């Protein structure tokens, strides 16, 4: 007989979108809450339950997960398969988070309302929104939205991750930056890491680049520039959506149907190493080890910033180019302290990637811009964490609401 589940402090609901983006964020959130999410007036034995509608996709970034099981413990988190029928003995946690407006199931909301009869306060309901650097986020962060269920009413609060003190901040585990520093300064460890990928240590002046983006015509010209580079470049490429564009740019179209994990492909001065999907800790180590990271979406975008290395952001494309507005407003923050020359160059590179434009003229300026970009990348995370990370700000937000 299965052991009864404990009372949960946190319930997190996640619909898996685009395979890894939303679940990547919520899985990191669940693990950080398990370590640091002590609620006001409660014990330090924190219990977190994560509801996920697609366990198969989740398992690709969490190898310990069994997609067949309806409920299971992984790394101290209870993973519950979210489908139409809720467990009969389910009791909502003290804090309920719907990630990225995924909409809680109606029976769950009804049970939240029922708890009002037996508890002085209902569960605190948080809508964790997508990350944005847009200015309106500051005005909406923390706002309450009255909800009525039957004859009972309570609030749902909007919590916006962001880049300023007036937002919810960014996910960043305690000790992450120090761990990254140790990794990047450990020459023997880095050599062992490259060996684990069947690669030698980087040669003098060689660039190591990771690429995890969506499809983009801009990759054709960018990869072609890498093939023609005066210095050797090794591209670390997880098999995925950008593979065809990369191989086309490298003139390796013939490899599209046969490419597999572990392959080492060559074109001009570019070497392409095809990688498997990895867990999140493995992806962090990849970002920490490379000289430049091309990332996408939200989760890899944030992790690239903690890596302290130059990065380019391929934002999720939206209708009427709404994503470019979001990109520009992030760049307004990110580039504010760079000199005009470097600022304009980096803005153009990001926009060219996201518009699918020719990037050759911009990549040609990399040697002149890289030093100041590297310095900026090292300092950038410090400013983001001045007011605390997302979990710290979330717990503080809940102090008067639990």
């Amino acid at each position: 007989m299965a052991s009864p589940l404990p009372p949960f402090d946190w319930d997190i609901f996640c619909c898996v979108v685009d395979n890894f983006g939303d679940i990547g964020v919520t899985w990191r959130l669940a693990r950080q809450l398990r370590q640091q999410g002590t609620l006001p007036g409660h014990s330090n034995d924190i219990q977190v339950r994560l509801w996920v509608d697609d366990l198969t996709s989740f398992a690709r970034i969490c190898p310990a997960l069994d997609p067949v099981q309806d409920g299971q413990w992984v790394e101290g988190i209870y993973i519950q398969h979210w489908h139409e029928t809720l467990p009969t003995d389910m009791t909502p946690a003290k804090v309920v988070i719907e990630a990225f407006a995924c909409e809680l199931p109606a029976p769950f909301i009804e049970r939240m309302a029922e708890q009002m009869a037996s508890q002085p306060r209902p569960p605190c309901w948080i809508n964790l929104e997508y990350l944005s650097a847009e200015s309106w986020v500051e005005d909406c962060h923390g706002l309450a939205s009255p909800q009525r269920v039957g004859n009972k009413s309570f609030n749902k609060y909007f919590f916006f991750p962001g880049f300023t003190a007036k937002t919810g901040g960014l996910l960043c585990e305690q000790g992450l930056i120090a761990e990254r520093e140790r990794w990047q300064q450990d020459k023997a460890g880095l050599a062992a890491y490259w060996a684990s990928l069947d690669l030698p240590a980087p040669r003098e002046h060689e660039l190591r680049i990771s690429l995890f983006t969506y499809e983009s015509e801009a990759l054709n010209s960018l990869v072609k520039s890498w093939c023609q580079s005066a210095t050797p470049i090794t591209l670390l490429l997880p098999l995925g959506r950008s593979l065809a564009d990369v191989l086309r740019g490298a003139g390796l179209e013939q490899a599209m149907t046969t490419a597999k994990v572990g392959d080492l492909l060559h074109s001009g001065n570019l070497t392409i190493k095809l990688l498997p999907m990895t867990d999140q800790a493995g992806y962090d180590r990849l970002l920490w080890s490379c000289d430049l990271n091309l990332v996408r979406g939200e989760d890899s975008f944030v992790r690239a910033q903690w890596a302290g290395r130059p990065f380019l952001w391929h934002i999720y494309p939206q209708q009427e180019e709404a994503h470019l507005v979001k990109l520009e407003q992030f760049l307004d923050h990110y580039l504010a302290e760079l000199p005009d020359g470097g600022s304009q160059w980096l803005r153009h590179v990001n926009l060219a990637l996201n518009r699918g434009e020719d990037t050759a003229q911009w990549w040609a300026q990399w040697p002149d811009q890289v030093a100041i970009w590297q310095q900026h990348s090292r300092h950038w995370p410090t400013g983001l964490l001045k007011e605390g990370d997302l979990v710290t700000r979330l717990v503080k937000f809940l102090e008067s609401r639990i």
Side-chain angles (χ1 to χ4, degrees):
M1 180 181 295
S3 302
L5 295 176
F8 287 95
D9 301 285
W10 303 86
D11 267 318
I12 308 171
F13 283 79
C14 174
C15 287
V16 176
V17 179
D18 188 35
N19 292 327
F20 313 113
D22 293 10
I23 186 57
V25 174
T26 50
W27 180 225
R28 290 191 194 277
L29 173 63
R31 285 179 295 161
Q32 191 176 350
L33 287 173
R34 179 74 176 87
Q35 297 297 321
Q36 300 169 230
T38 304
L39 294 168
H42 294 83
S43 71
N44 290 326
D45 185 19
I46 306 161
Q47 300 293 342
V48 180
R49 177 168 50 190
L50 176 59
W51 301 73
V52 183
D53 65 342
D54 179 359
L55 296 183
T56 300
S57 292
F58 185 10
R60 293 193 65 190
I61 63 169
C62 180
L65 180 71
D66 181 358
V68 177
Q69 290 192 45
D70 204 52
Q72 60 198 288
W73 292 95
V74 180
E75 297 187 33
I77 313 296
Y78 191 77
I79 311 297
Q80 176 68 57
H81 188 199
W82 174 13
H83 41 66
E84 291 183 3
T85 304
L86 297 180
T88 56
D89 59 348
M90 185 276 306
T91 301
K94 298 178 179 70
V95 182
V96 177
I97 299 175
E98 56 179 26
F100 315 120
C102 64
E103 297 188 5
L104 301 181
F108 192 92
I109 298 175
E110 291 170 2
R111 294 198 191 181
M112 290 169 62
E114 290 170 3
Q115 286 187 231
M116 295 183 69
S118 58
Q119 297 180 8
R121 292 187 179 184
C124 192
W125 184 356
I126 300 290
N127 180 3
L128 178 66
E129 285 286 354
Y130 286 102
L131 171 63
S132 176
E134 294 171 283
S135 57
W136 60 266
V137 165
E138 292 187 339
D139 297 325
C140 296
H141 175 62
L143 290 183
S145 173
Q147 307 290 312
R148 189 161 188 85
V149 182
N151 61 352
K152 298 179 176 64
S153 61
F154 49 100
N155 288 326
K156 173 168 66 174
Y157 296 95
F158 291 94
F159 199 89
F160 282 85
F163 299 90
T164 70
K166 295 181 179 180
T167 67
L170 302 173
L171 279 174
C172 184
E173 303 88 335
Q174 277 186 352
L176 180 72
I177 304 302
E179 182 184 355
R180 182 209 74 196
E181 284 292 305
R182 288 192 295 271
W183 177 273
Q184 292 177 339
Q185 293 173 19
D186 182 0
K187 292 183 179 180
L190 283 168
Y193 173 72
W194 294 124
S196 73
L197 300 179
D198 294 323
L199 289 170
R203 291 168 283 173
E204 187 177 6
H205 304 306
E206 178 186 349
L207 289 178
R208 294 261 161 117
I209 301 174
S210 79
L211 191 150
F212 182 59
T213 69
Y214 305 109
E215 303 89 339
S216 174
E217 287 295 323
L219 293 177
N220 294 335
S221 59
L222 187 57
V223 172
K224 186 176 180 180
S225 296
W226 294 341
C227 295
Q228 300 169 349
S229 171
T231 58
I233 295 176
T234 298
L235 178 63
L236 289 302
L237 180 67
L239 286 181
R241 294 175 59 169
S242 57
L243 176 65
D245 287 331
V246 169
L247 295 183
R248 194 175 297 114
L252 297 171
E253 292 92 337
Q254 73 278 5
M256 287 185 187
T257 57
T258 59
K260 62 184 183 301
V261 168
D263 282 355
L264 198 64
L265 308 175
H266 301 276
S267 179
N269 226 1
L270 174 66
T271 298
I272 303 173
K273 177 68 176 181
L274 299 183
L275 302 179
M277 287 298 297
T278 181
D279 61 13
Q280 291 183 319
Y283 186 61
D284 278 337
R285 290 191 289 270
L286 176 64
L287 296 173
W288 297 349
S289 304
C290 288
D291 302 295
L292 171 66
N293 297 299
L294 279 71
V295 294
R296 75 188 200 193
E298 178 171 330
D299 184 53
S300 57
F301 166 54
V302 172
R303 303 313 285 194
Q305 294 175 68
W306 301 142
R309 295 287 170 87
F311 70 93
L312 296 173
W313 182 27
H314 195 195
I315 190 171
Y316 187 80
Q318 293 179 305
Q319 292 183 344
E320 300 180 356
E321 296 190 334
H323 59 296
L324 295 182
V325 175
K326 296 179 180 180
L327 173 64
E328 289 267 29
Q329 297 207 14
F330 165 71
L331 291 173
D332 288 344
H333 286 285
Y334 184 64
L335 304 176
E337 296 184 7
L338 281 176
D340 289 344
S343 173
Q344 290 303 311
W345 172 76
L346 195 45
R347 186 181 296 273
H348 285 305
V349 175
N350 274 277
L351 288 172
L353 173 64
N354 282 275
R355 289 171 174 162
E357 298 172 349
D358 191 311
T359 59
Q361 63 171 318
W362 304 115
W363 180 255
Q365 299 177 42
W366 160 272
D368 300 323
Q369 303 292 345
V370 61
I372 193 167
W373 193 6
Q374 288 172 333
Q375 183 181 29
H376 179 61
S377 300
R378 300 290 294 181
H379 295 153
W380 174 249
T382 302
L384 294 178
L385 293 171
K386 278 184 179 178
E387 302 295 329
D389 62 277
L390 186 145
V391 166
T392 299
R393 298 191 201 189
L394 177 57
V395 170
K396 184 175 182 180
F397 177 80
L398 292 167
E399 285 179 352
S400 61
R401 298 172 174 86
I402 294 294

